[in-house]
Amino acid sequence: MQMDDRSKLLRRYVIDAMRGGGRGHLGSSMSMIEILRVLYDSVLKFDPANPKSLDRDRFVLSKGHGCLALYAILADKGFFPISELESFCRPTSRLGGHPERGKVPGVEASTGALGHGLPIAVGLALAMRLQKRNSRVFVLTGDGEINEGSNWEAGMAAAKHKLSNLTVMMDYNKLQSYGKTSEVLDLEPLVDKWKSFGFVTHEVDGHDVAALEAIFKKLPFSDSAPSAIICHTIKGKGFPFAEGNPEWHHKSGMTETDIQQMYDCL
Amino acid sequence: MRKTALDCVYKLGKIDERVVFVGSDLGPGVLDKMKTEFPQRFFMEGVSEQYIVGMAAGLAMEGFIPYVNTIATFLTRRCYEQVAVDLCIHDLPVRLIANGGGGVYAPLGPTHLAIEDIAIMRALPNMAVVAPCDADEMNRLMMSTLEWPHPIYIRLGKGGDKIVSDEKNGFELGKAIIMRSGTDGMFVTTGVMTQLALETADLLKKDGVNVGIVHMHTIKPFDSSGVISAIENVKAVVSVEEHIVNGGLGSALLETCSELRPDLLSKIARVGIPDKFATEYGSQNSLLKHWGITSDTLVGAMMKKLGG
Ligand SMILES: Cc1ncc(C[n+]2csc(CCOP(=O)(O)OP(=O)(O)O)c2C)c(N)n1
């Protein structure tokens, strides 16, 4: 699928940050650009001038190592200046290699240790219900990330509590750190797994903006169960040398040539 | 150091069929040699630290010696109960190889910084805690792990560290090494901080201050008599660790002296990470500076205790 200008712009922001920090999770960030773009452009309720407004929707990036994509969209929306992106990973920057609540406006939870987002999101969703707020809670996990048992403990609880205000999205890019998810720890049948855990579950092409918008419009999929959206994506999307290549999960010590090679793809 | 540790797992696997490797979604290509040559004893499992520790316990119960490897924070915090119950209560010979002790993963922030790993591992009965100072010592440690009948936590520094250890000193788990003797003061160190202490001792020597180093590669079991004999005759002692100041090497030293030689307590100062999560990113070196673990602070701490 061709990337439009907006998808390219957000990818450019990610590279700006990588150039500043000399490092970053390229593959992990590029697979989730369209998911975040659609979430922030068309789905979530938020106010960059008042990032803690009580009636905002909550988005938790559970795969914290994909934070470059989150920083790109937050900067684009005005949570902090776009020029700040290039401070990525510098000693006194707010923008670290994993996102931190309280440091970065718009970041709801400090993540980076995998498997924490969904349990936290269940707590947030329960709090919204107890406080009679209409805010919705969204959480994005990786596919390798859901190897962690904590996701499934939280998943069962989300169903038990009938959290229709909770949506879990998976960035199903078919790769984890070591290699293919199908070889390291096969998740299939993934749709059936989430269904059997009590989630009303749909699949979508995670790079197809129109398809993403359409699926998010259908939320909640049920008013008595949590929702799951499995987003089929390509790790490193947009960068042929990185697409589907585990060597580009994370890179440090990036050179100007590496960086230029990335800009050239856009 | 990490490469050496993993190469040793392969070497051990070649000489001993009980050796198995268990990783948790590590980087591509890790220990490919082992995977090719004895694939049945190479396990690359998913992102699931709790499970791999339990699984290693099961293997060990049946006579295997599992070497388990992942990032230090995830191998300690995430599966602490599995380590305590499955490994330590059962007292099984599982080896935990922990990448990135201290500030190695500086740019990745506090979720990835193993700052209290020594303290929480040291708190567990039956667990040995080891932090070699360079790749050569890592090699000696690893090659001596086959017959230790209990669990071992092995803390890795970053790669490419200078070699400061000496083969002549050998390696015995639980036995302190006097890297340099001193007449005025002693640094009590562990892990790669031994390197920093050696550099600092050189600086102090230029000013006519004679300071030695006792390297505690093993923090548990703690070599009480070794460390006491190393420090009892000097005027000042500074412990140095890339670890939170509570509960690590410095605490072990104070506990030991408090029990056996309270007269030594007043000459001891501790240098380590302050009691808070990292607030900066940057590099390991910039973080060490931010934490106040530098040659300058070591000189300052030593001179203060020496009354200078
Ligand atoms: C608890 C925990 N264990 C291990 C890691 C190290 N780690 C970081 S990313 C990663 C792979 C994640 O794969 P996936 O969830 O598929 O993300 P993506 O492919 O999108 O990068 C691993 C193992 C971690 N961050 N947290």
Side-chain angles (χ1 to χ4, degrees):
Chain A
M1 178 164 301
Q2 264 321 98
M3 284 185 292
D4 64 10
D5 286 347
R6 181 146 177 73
S7 279
K8 285 185 185 171
L9 176 73
L10 293 170
R11 284 182 168 78
R12 199 174 297 278
Y13 289 157
V14 170
I15 305 170
D16 291 346
M18 275 188 199
R19 185 180 53 194
R23 62 186 308 125
H25 286 87
L26 179 82
S28 318
S29 304
M30 295 307 181
S31 59
M32 48 186 270
I33 294 281
E34 281 74 28
I35 303 171
L36 292 197
R37 163 188 169 176
V38 173
L39 259 185
Y40 280 82
D41 281 358
S42 314
V43 181
L44 295 178
K45 191 166 58 175
F46 60 86
D47 176 7
N50 186 9
K52 292 185 179 160
S53 70
L54 287 177
D55 65 347
R56 74 190 186 279
D57 289 332
R58 270 68 168 174
F59 169 66
V60 176
L61 177 64
S62 191
K63 49 170 282 195
H65 62 287
C67 59
L68 283 169
L70 179 61
Y71 297 159
I73 192 78
L74 290 176
D76 174 82
K77 292 292 177 192
F79 281 90
F80 53 83
I82 288 165
S83 58
E84 199 173 324
L85 287 169
E86 65 186 40
S87 73
F88 181 58
C89 284
R90 301 220 176 121
T92 55
S93 174
R94 293 192 282 186
L95 309 178
H98 293 94
E100 291 193 66
R101 176 185 168 97
K103 255 192 183 176
V104 190
V107 167
E108 298 285 353
S110 300
T111 52
L114 296 169
H116 289 247
L118 189 52
I120 291 174
V122 167
L124 294 173
L126 284 168
M128 296 304 115
R129 179 192 282 169
L130 285 167
Q131 295 170 351
K132 300 196 174 23
R133 279 188 231 287
N134 292 324
S135 302
R136 297 180 294 171
V137 180
F138 294 82
V139 56
L140 177 62
T141 75
D143 45 16
E145 175 177 16
I146 59 172
N147 297 167
E148 293 281 5
S150 52
N151 294 291
W152 303 100
E153 297 177 19
M156 284 189 278
K160 163 188 152 178
H161 294 297
K162 300 185 172 41
L163 292 176
S164 59
N165 58 349
L166 173 70
T167 302
V168 57
M169 301 160 289
M170 262 137 291
D171 179 2
Y172 195 9
N173 58 28
K174 321 302 185 282
L175 281 180
Q176 49 197 110
S177 186
Y178 185 75
K180 294 183 178 151
T181 53
S182 60
E183 289 167 8
V184 178
L185 186 57
D186 198 0
L187 300 169
E188 293 297 339
L190 188 55
V191 172
D192 290 348
K193 277 201 178 71
W194 284 101
K195 281 188 178 161
S196 71
F197 271 72
F199 285 65
V200 181
T201 307
H202 286 284
E203 293 173 272
V204 67
D205 175 342
H207 298 301
D208 183 336
V209 172
L212 283 163
E213 282 180 343
I215 199 87
F216 281 123
K217 276 219 178 71
K218 292 200 185 125
L219 287 171
F221 299 151
S222 156
D223 49 21
S224 58
S227 306
I229 305 178
I230 294 170
C231 306
H232 294 279
T233 56
I234 296 169
K235 197 155 170 172
K237 166 78 178 171
F239 303 83
F241 56 88
E243 284 189 4
N245 179 357
E247 297 293 339
W248 279 94
H249 169 77
H250 177 258
K251 274 265 193 269
S252 55
M254 281 180 184
T255 62
E256 263 309 310
T257 323
D258 291 328
I259 298 290
Q260 195 51 50
Q261 183 191 10
M262 290 178 204
Y263 282 126
D264 290 346
C265 294
L266 298 175
Chain B
M1 217 189 256
R2 174 176 181 222
K3 191 178 169 306
T4 307
L6 294 182
D7 285 349
C8 287
V9 176
Y10 166 76
K11 281 195 266 177
L12 293 168
K14 248 182 128 78
I15 57 175
D16 193 320
E17 294 211 330
R18 296 173 299 168
V19 170
V20 297
F21 176 76
V22 185
S24 182
D25 193 23
L26 303 175
V30 166
L31 269 180
D32 267 352
K33 263 205 308 209
M34 183 153 180
K35 187 181 174 184
T36 328
E37 287 181 41
F38 20 100
Q40 329 82 297
R41 288 188 280 133
F42 173 91
F43 295 95
M44 186 55 69
E45 304 298 285
V47 195
S48 31
E49 297 79 8
Q50 298 175 314
Y51 148 70
I52 58 167
V53 171
M55 172 248 207
L59 285 162
M61 285 170 183
E62 298 298 326
F64 289 96
I65 309 176
Y67 287 75
V68 181
N69 176 226
T70 188
I71 295 174
T73 44
F74 309 131
L75 199 48
T76 53
R77 294 174 179 168
R78 187 46 165 270
C79 46
Y80 194 60
E81 185 165 291
Q82 279 77 10
V83 173
V85 175
D86 305 351
L87 304 190
C88 293
I89 292 183
H90 290 89
D91 198 8
L92 294 167
V94 172
R95 286 78 182 91
L96 304 175
I97 304 175
N99 301 343
V104 171
Y105 292 121
L108 301 185
T111 57
H112 282 57
L113 296 175
I115 55 171
E116 79 296 327
D117 56 328
I118 293 176
I120 63 178
M121 288 294 121
R122 190 171 83 82
L124 295 171
N126 296 330
M127 180 63 86
V129 179
V130 193
C133 63
D134 61 24
D136 284 7
E137 188 172 68
M138 175 61 77
N139 187 57
R140 289 191 281 277
L141 154 69
M142 287 295 292
M143 298 317 282
S144 74
T145 50
L146 279 181
E147 302 310 329
W148 186 263
H150 316 285
I152 310 177
Y153 177 73
I154 301 168
R155 185 191 222 220
L156 270 60
K158 74 162 185 294
D161 309 290
K162 203 163 100 189
I163 302 298
V164 295
S165 68
D166 188 341
E167 187 160 13
K168 281 204 303 277
N169 289 324
F171 186 94
E172 194 184 325
L173 214 135
K175 188 128 186 43
I177 293 177
I178 312 263
M179 303 279 274
R180 186 183 291 188
S181 52
T183 49
D184 297 319
M186 283 299 276
F187 286 121
V188 180
T189 60
T190 191
V192 294
M193 287 300 107
T194 297
Q195 306 183 13
L196 182 70
L198 281 162
E199 285 164 32
T200 310
D202 286 341
L203 291 177
L204 284 163
K205 200 166 162 191
K206 285 192 191 130
D207 291 336
V209 186
N210 185 317
V211 174
I213 289 113
V214 52
H215 170 53
M216 308 298 291
H217 50 69
T218 308
I219 300 133
K220 185 181 182 178
F222 199 67
D223 184 0
S224 304
S225 58
V227 77
I228 286 175
S229 68
I231 65 170
E232 63 189 345
N233 296 319
V234 294
K235 295 185 275 298
V237 177
V238 176
S239 65
V240 193
E241 59 197 309
E242 191 176 353
H243 181 273
I244 205 123
V245 84
N246 307 317
L249 172 71
S251 297
L253 177 65
L254 293 179
E255 288 160 17
T256 295
C257 292
S258 159
E259 274 162 27
L260 304 174
R261 288 290 301 273
D263 58 305
L264 302 178
L265 283 172
S266 64
K267 63 181 174 189
I268 300 173
R270 292 181 297 167
V271 172
I273 302 173
D275 184 19
K276 61 177 182 195
F277 290 106
T279 52
E280 292 200 352
Y281 305 107
S283 65
Q284 183 176 21
N285 281 339
S286 73
L287 256 191
L288 285 170
K289 204 164 161 193
H290 178 67
W291 283 329
I293 310 177
T294 62
S295 255
D296 284 351
T297 51
L298 296 196
V299 168
M302 185 59 79
M303 293 313 289
K304 192 168 166 205
K305 278 287 168 191
L306 284 171

